[in-house]
Amino acid sequence: MRRHSKGFRFADEMVSIDVIISIVLGIISIGITLGVVFYGIITKGAATDTAGAVLLAGVLSGFTGLVFSLLTLKESVGSARSKRAAITICVISMVLVVLVFLCR
């Protein structure tokens, strides 16, 4: 038997660009949200208006990632696992934002 070393791939299906975009936006949103929460803890609740603007950017990032991840459900390109991961990350980011607004 002859082994072929060229063209070896670990994944059978390609990952959609929209999935990558939504995962990146979801991770950015989670990072921004946690950063603003820690900044609020460090300043003992006396955060500036800039922190609110940064949190708003995180909300927009997470919402945009959620829209992209929901749009990927209709596409045939990409694996179902990557699509579920993108939706999960974006939903986690939105839940964090909602918890921040509820616990203020």
Side-chain angles (χ1 to χ4, degrees):
M1 241 177 150
R2 184 175 171 196
R3 292 186 180 179
H4 298 282
S5 62
K6 289 186 176 182
F8 184 74
R9 293 179 15 186
F10 289 100
D12 291 336
E13 296 182 18
M14 301 298 281
V15 178
S16 172
I17 297 296
D18 292 342
V19 170
I20 295 172
I21 290 171
S22 65
I23 288 175
V24 168
L25 287 174
I27 291 173
I28 288 172
S29 175
I30 290 171
I32 287 174
T33 305
L34 293 177
V36 169
V37 167
F38 289 138
Y39 177 72
I41 291 171
I42 289 172
T43 60
K44 297 179 183 172
T48 60
D49 292 337
T50 307
V54 170
L55 186 61
L56 180 63
V59 169
L60 292 176
S61 169
F63 183 73
T64 306
L66 186 62
V67 168
F68 270 106
S69 64
L70 291 176
L71 288 177
T72 60
L73 292 176
K74 295 181 181 180
E75 293 181 2
S76 62
V77 178
S79 65
R81 182 176 289 174
S82 64
K83 292 176 186 178
R84 282 182 290 182
I87 290 173
T88 304
I89 289 173
C90 291
V91 166
I92 288 172
S93 71
M94 290 287 94
V95 167
L96 281 175
V97 168
V98 168
L99 286 176
V100 166
F101 283 119
L102 289 178
C103 297
R104 58 184 165 132

